[in-house]
Amino acid sequence: MAMVKAWSFGLVLLWFSTLSYYYPVNAADDNNSTLGASFIFGDSLVDAGNNNYLSTLSRANIPPNGIDFKATGGNPTGRYTNGRTIGDIVGEELGIPNYAVPYLAPNSTGKAILYGVNYASGGGGIMNATGRIFVNRLGLDIQIDFFKNTRKQFDTLLGASKAKEYISKKSIFSITIGANDFLNNYLLPVLSVGTRISQSPDGFIDDMISHLRNQLTRLHQLDARKFVVGNVGPIGCIPYQKTINQLNENECVDLANKLAIQYNGRLKDLLTEMNGKLPGAVFVHANVYDLVMELITNYKNYGFTTASKACCGNGGQFAGIIPCGPTSSMCDDRDKHVFWDPYHPSEAANLIIARQLLNGNTKVISPVNLKRLRNL
């Protein structure tokens, strides 16, 4: 969920990574491609480098981002965290031997795509207008257009019959999106005033759900069957929001969280509807809001020392105004911070969240967890 940070990114866009994006997770051979692919859609929470190839104000291919990403020896890749994203960790735990390659990377062709493709984009949202402050980003509609291209490549690689089986029976589609539709659209200072006057929160959320219904249906038409869809986290509790609203450590922005909760209720109903409507599909609801709120509320129980202050950033009490870049202050104990930067979780927090999604009960992921979804 790349936040409103356009004004500060001009200072840190001079450094550009030229690393390869086909990272081995382990030494598994090509036979492991029978496990299926991981197709990742969403925003900066799961972007693995697509924005590196866009003329955009939202990028993370600058140090010290990626400082703990072992696959590159600590060099940045375009991930908005210090190490792995939730999508990376889930793919590893499910046994996929390589990280999903960013769609816009030059090597997102041939056998590389058999392990999966990442279409996520920092600043992207469900609504096409979301993230326009960043100039360029990939909204979910465009991401699905790109998957349509990938789908054709699978037919070429495997043959039509095997490709359909591989995608529908063995692959998992994860969608992590929605936060930017509030923070960089409906709640965007100044630019969104007209929208808020003309459209109530109920009306805006109705539009989000309507768009998402159509988007999920499009993926189903392209043979996607196993879905995991994350709800919106407690966006009022991120260091950026706490800093600009001058809140205390144990406070969160009430309006932002209320909008997230309202949308999340509608999302859960939508996924129930889709499970009953689309033949052969399994839509899994990932309760990211409660998982993240648990970490924020009880951070000491998980070995963290703070759930308010960003490890990498500058400005205000919680280092929550200026994004992470070469001139930012950075903590020494990165695994003790819930938040890596003013907007995104650390790898340590991502690891806890991912493992709950993989193995958790129906309070956090329903109707089945990801380990069970893989085996369906």
Side-chain angles (χ1 to χ4, degrees):
M1 51 185 171
M3 304 301 164
V4 183
K5 50 185 183 284
W7 59 273
S8 61
F9 257 84
L11 300 175
V12 293
L13 288 178
L14 298 177
W15 196 96
F16 189 88
S17 171
T18 58
L19 299 166
S20 169
Y21 287 90
Y22 183 47
Y23 305 124
V25 174
N26 55 42
D29 60 32
D30 287 341
N31 289 333
N32 274 330
S33 66
T34 58
L35 290 168
S38 173
F39 297 109
I40 298 172
F41 303 81
D43 53 30
S44 57
L45 289 169
V46 288
D47 187 350
N50 281 305
N51 276 25
N52 299 354
Y53 302 95
L54 298 175
S55 297
T56 179
L57 296 174
S58 178
R59 281 185 177 173
N61 60 332
I62 48 175
N65 292 296
I67 191 171
D68 298 307
F69 191 65
K70 293 180 181 178
T72 60
N75 289 309
T77 63
R79 288 165 169 82
Y80 294 73
T81 185
N82 59 307
R84 295 166 294 170
T85 68
I86 292 174
D88 295 329
I89 297 164
V90 166
E92 286 182 24
E93 296 285 336
L94 292 179
I96 297 173
N98 291 77
Y99 296 126
V101 62
Y103 177 83
L104 294 181
N107 58 346
S108 62
T109 59
K111 291 176 69 175
I113 69 173
L114 292 176
Y115 303 109
V117 180
N118 185 310
Y119 307 89
S121 172
I126 294 168
M127 310 296 285
N128 291 322
T130 294
R132 61 193 183 278
I133 192 172
F134 301 121
V135 183
N136 285 310
R137 72 287 176 205
L138 308 177
L140 188 53
D141 278 329
I142 294 174
Q143 293 179 35
I144 296 170
D145 288 343
F146 287 162
F147 173 71
K148 187 175 181 180
N149 295 336
T150 301
R151 181 67 186 81
K152 294 175 183 176
Q153 293 178 49
F154 267 83
D155 281 346
T156 301
L157 283 169
L158 302 177
S161 179
K162 287 185 178 179
K164 183 172 183 177
E165 180 181 8
Y166 190 85
I167 289 169
S168 63
K169 295 184 178 180
K170 298 178 180 179
S171 300
I172 291 179
F173 291 72
S174 66
I175 297 98
T176 304
I177 206 159
N180 284 321
D181 292 286
F182 295 112
L183 291 167
N184 287 314
N185 188 338
Y186 193 71
L187 295 176
L188 191 65
V190 182
L191 295 179
S192 68
V193 171
T195 300
R196 292 204 301 275
I197 290 174
S198 63
Q199 193 170 31
S200 67
D202 286 346
F204 184 75
I205 291 171
D206 283 345
D207 279 354
M208 285 180 66
I209 293 296
S210 177
H211 275 76
L212 185 58
R213 178 185 289 107
N214 292 336
Q215 290 158 343
L216 295 175
T217 301
R218 284 182 63 201
L219 284 172
H220 183 269
Q221 290 168 346
L222 293 167
D223 296 323
R225 293 297 182 269
K226 297 181 180 182
F227 297 83
V228 54
V229 184
N231 65 12
V232 173
I235 50 179
C237 301
I238 61 175
Y240 172 78
Q241 286 286 308
K242 292 166 78 83
T243 299
I244 65 169
N245 287 282
Q246 299 181 340
L247 300 183
N248 295 324
E249 188 169 3
N250 61 348
E251 292 180 312
C252 298
V253 178
D254 189 53
L255 175 59
N257 279 357
K258 282 184 175 178
L259 288 171
I261 290 170
Q262 184 176 347
Y263 165 78
N264 290 345
R266 294 289 306 281
L267 173 66
K268 192 169 186 179
D269 290 342
L270 173 65
L271 298 183
T272 299
E273 170 196 324
M274 302 296 269
N275 271 322
K277 180 179 178 181
L278 297 183
V282 179
F283 287 88
V284 172
H285 173 258
N287 189 0
V288 175
Y289 186 99
D290 283 355
L291 286 172
V292 176
M293 186 60 85
E294 166 66 15
L295 287 184
I296 291 171
T297 304
N298 299 305
Y299 62 92
K300 292 181 181 178
N301 294 345
Y302 298 89
F304 296 107
T305 58
T306 176
S308 298
K309 189 173 183 179
C311 172
C312 183
N314 284 109
Q317 181 181 357
F318 306 115
I321 296 179
I322 300 176
C324 182
T327 62
S328 300
S329 298
M330 184 177 68
C331 67
D332 294 325
D333 52 349
R334 297 184 290 274
D335 62 343
K336 301 297 183 183
H337 285 62
V338 171
F339 288 98
W340 160 243
D341 66 10
Y343 328 98
H344 307 96
S346 64
E347 183 186 61
N350 283 337
L351 186 60
I352 293 170
I353 295 165
R355 287 179 174 167
Q356 285 279 5
L357 297 178
L358 286 156
N359 304 298
N361 60 33
T362 54
K363 289 183 179 179
V364 296
I365 183 153
S366 61
V368 296
N369 62 38
L370 298 189
K371 287 281 183 72
R372 292 184 63 192
L373 179 65
R374 175 193 60 186
N375 297 327
L376 290 178

